Amino acid sequence: MTASTWYLYMIECHKGQLYTGITTDIDRRFKEHQAGGIKAAKFLRGKGPLKLVYRETVGDRSLALRRELDIKRLSRSAKLALIAQTALQ
């Protein structure tokens, strides 16, 4: 079995809230969130339009979970600074 590469991503809601998550396929996961169905994060339901504002290659699942926790602990201004550095917008 080959190990999958994991990614961390941040999504901005229409009112400016930031959501952080991890996945092995950012495009698929973002589409699931946008669809708002059962596979979408409850936090994001009804908060569209959504905008993918940050992505980062992390490695394995364990590292991705740790990185996600680190990002979630950051202040909003620190998250926005991280987003601004990548200019994915």
Side-chain angles (χ1 to χ4, degrees), residues 14-62:
H14 79 284
K15 288 189 178 178
Q17 303 109 315
L18 293 171
Y19 173 84
T20 304
I22 60 171
T23 186
T24 56
D25 185 341
I26 291 177
D27 294 330
R28 173 193 50 81
R29 191 67 182 123
F30 184 63
K31 287 175 187 172
E32 290 172 353
H33 289 313
Q34 284 183 310
I38 192 139
K39 291 187 176 186
K42 287 182 183 177
F43 177 84
L44 295 174
R45 291 184 193 155
K47 294 185 179 175
L50 305 175
K51 181 176 173 186
L52 183 63
V53 293
Y54 182 79
R55 66 174 70 203
E56 175 182 320
T57 304
V58 182
D60 65 25
R61 186 172 188 266
S62 177

Side-chain angles (χ1 to χ4, degrees), residues 57-88:
T57 304
V58 182
D60 65 25
R61 186 172 188 266
S62 177
L63 290 171
L65 287 167
R66 280 185 244 145
R67 181 67 175 146
E68 179 184 25
L69 188 57
D70 289 343
I71 296 291
K72 287 183 174 184
R73 289 179 175 161
L74 293 176
S75 66
R76 177 173 173 77
S77 58
K79 290 177 189 176
L80 292 173
L82 186 61
I83 292 166
Q85 288 175 356
T86 63
L88 182 60

